Structures are given as C-alpha cells and as structure tokens.
Amino acid sequence: VYRDLSALGEAGVPIIAEAGVGYSLMRGYNIPPIMFTESEVAALFMSAEITDQFGDDSLKKSLQGALLKVKSALPEGHQNYLNKLSSNMEVWSRPTAYQDKHSLMPVQEAVVKRRCMRIHYNTGSRGTITERTVEALGLRFYSRQWHLIAWCRLRQEIRDFRLDRMQQWEVTDETFTGHEDFSITEFIQQQTEVSELIPVQIECEPWVI
C-alpha cells in the first residue's frame, strides 16, 4: 500500500494523509483529460452531425459545447484529422414538421427526474386537443419524429405521444412514483409485435434504386 501511495505521489497525484482519517486525494483534484483515437474522434463528430439533423436546439447546443471541449484537448494531429473530416462530410435530411426546437432537453430531464408533464395533445392530428397530465417514462426517435412514452392519467395506460403534436406543454414540479419495472425496450418490442405487418413488393427501374 505504501509503495502504491509513493508511486502515485511521484506521478504527480496529490495524496493527503490525515491522522485518524487515513489517506485521500486532495479536494478538487481531477484526472488528466482522456485521450481519443482518430476513430473515436470521427465517431463523436459523426454523432454530432446526425444530431444536428434529428435533434432540437437544446440538444445541439449541449453537444456542440461538449465537442468544443473535446476538440480543445486533442493533439494537433487529431485536430487536423477532424478539420479535414468536417470539411468533406455532411449528413443531410429533409426537415421535419416538428416546430418546437427547444423541448428535447427539458423533456429528457423530466424523464430522468421522474416529473409529471402537463400537455395539450392533438390526437392523430385530427384537431381534437385534449389536456392531459402524464408521467414521463422515456424518449424514443423513430419515423423521423421524437416520441414521449408516458403514463397517461387521462387514459390510465402507457401511451406514445409525438412531440410535434403537443400544442402546449410544461414540466411540472410534481414527481411520481411507480413504474420501476418499466422498460422502454420491452415496450417498443410489444408495440411492434402487435402491429399488423403487410408485405409489399415494389417494382421499379434500376436507376430509381
């Protein structure tokens, strides 16, 4: 143990010895920055590019800030690699109908902190707006839309709410309990299994493919 403490001290790690307490790291000490390989840097950049297309402003801002910190800690060779990659690669998709560009991070926070949300929901885009209080359980992205999976107190069951159909919403201070055994993965699988799938064969010219 003393040899290990000595080795840590020689490596520049500040060790404090306190009588009656023992040994500890100096308060506020942080480990050196984690170094990334070129492949890891490329993967982070590509994730950011995809998020730029399918995320909202709140998510983009947080990710851009994180990547800026990562980039500033990279050695010059990795920075040059990333600059060349960013100038020669782009992810593009047609814009979605989703208009509220500031909601994803607050909704994600509601899921993590188990907070209730009060929403005005346009069911099936039929123009029928219902006000509901829901218990946020999870988020998923499919069919080019973000979906909130939540326990609906109005319907008394777990429902799938598209964020672009929420006319108004707010995260309340009310927290909820229960649903400890809920798994969003299992929920998605169950939804898929009950869906009636229709096989379709499409014929087209080779140039269309």
Side-chain angles (χ1 to χ4, degrees):
V1 171
Y2 285 112
R3 280 200 306 269
D4 291 342
L5 290 171
S6 177
L8 287 171
E10 291 175 1
V13 178
I15 304 292
I16 297 175
E18 188 174 353
V21 177
Y23 295 90
S24 63
L25 291 175
M26 180 182 294
R27 186 182 299 275
Y29 172 76
N30 295 314
I31 63 174
I34 299 174
M35 300 310 297
F36 296 95
T37 65
E38 287 186 347
S39 297
E40 291 169 341
V41 171
L44 289 172
F45 170 76
M46 292 181 67
S47 298
E49 288 294 299
I50 294 171
T51 302
D52 189 61
Q53 293 295 326
F54 299 106
D56 69 339
D57 288 350
S58 63
L59 185 59
K60 294 176 188 177
K61 185 177 180 180
S62 297
L63 185 56
Q64 288 169 357
L67 283 176
L68 185 62
K69 293 177 183 178
V70 170
K71 188 175 181 180
S72 65
L74 292 175
E76 184 177 355
H78 284 12
Q79 289 190 15
N80 293 336
Y81 180 87
L82 184 58
N83 290 334
K84 290 180 181 179
L85 182 64
S86 61
S87 63
N88 291 284
M89 194 196 78
E90 181 179 0
V91 177
W92 183 87
S93 69
R94 294 180 180 178
T96 65
Y98 183 43
Q99 298 298 321
D100 190 344
K101 296 297 184 180
H102 303 279
S103 63
L104 197 56
M105 292 298 281
V107 173
Q108 175 179 294
E109 185 177 2
V111 171
V112 173
K113 295 185 176 179
R114 299 177 67 82
R115 294 190 180 277
C116 296
M117 294 180 61
R118 190 175 298 112
I119 66 175
H120 291 76
Y121 194 68
N122 184 359
T123 305
S125 295
R126 294 191 296 267
T128 303
I129 310 298
T130 57
E131 183 177 351
R132 314 173 186 219
T133 297
V134 300
E135 301 172 1
L137 299 176
L139 276 170
R140 65 170 173 168
F141 182 86
Y142 72 95
S143 299
R144 299 176 54 81
Q145 297 292 344
W146 282 99
H147 296 245
L148 170 68
I149 311 302
W151 174 265
C152 178
R153 293 182 177 176
L154 177 64
R155 304 302 184 194
Q156 288 294 296
E157 63 179 354
I158 296 177
R159 302 295 290 267
D160 183 334
F161 300 99
R162 276 176 47 170
L163 265 63
D164 65 316
R165 292 179 180 172
M166 294 184 187
Q167 301 294 317
Q168 299 179 29
W169 64 268
E170 64 173 324
V171 178
T172 70
D173 294 330
E174 181 185 0
T175 58
F176 61 88
T177 58
H179 312 295
E180 284 80 7
D181 58 345
F182 173 76
S183 168
I184 190 170
T185 301
E186 293 179 1
F187 176 80
I188 295 172
Q189 290 176 344
Q190 292 172 0
Q191 295 295 104
T192 304
E193 290 172 357
V194 300
S195 300
E196 181 181 356
L197 302 180
I198 303 174
V200 177
Q201 186 178 60
I202 301 176
E203 296 183 3
C204 60
E205 297 294 332
W207 69 268
V208 175
I209 299 176

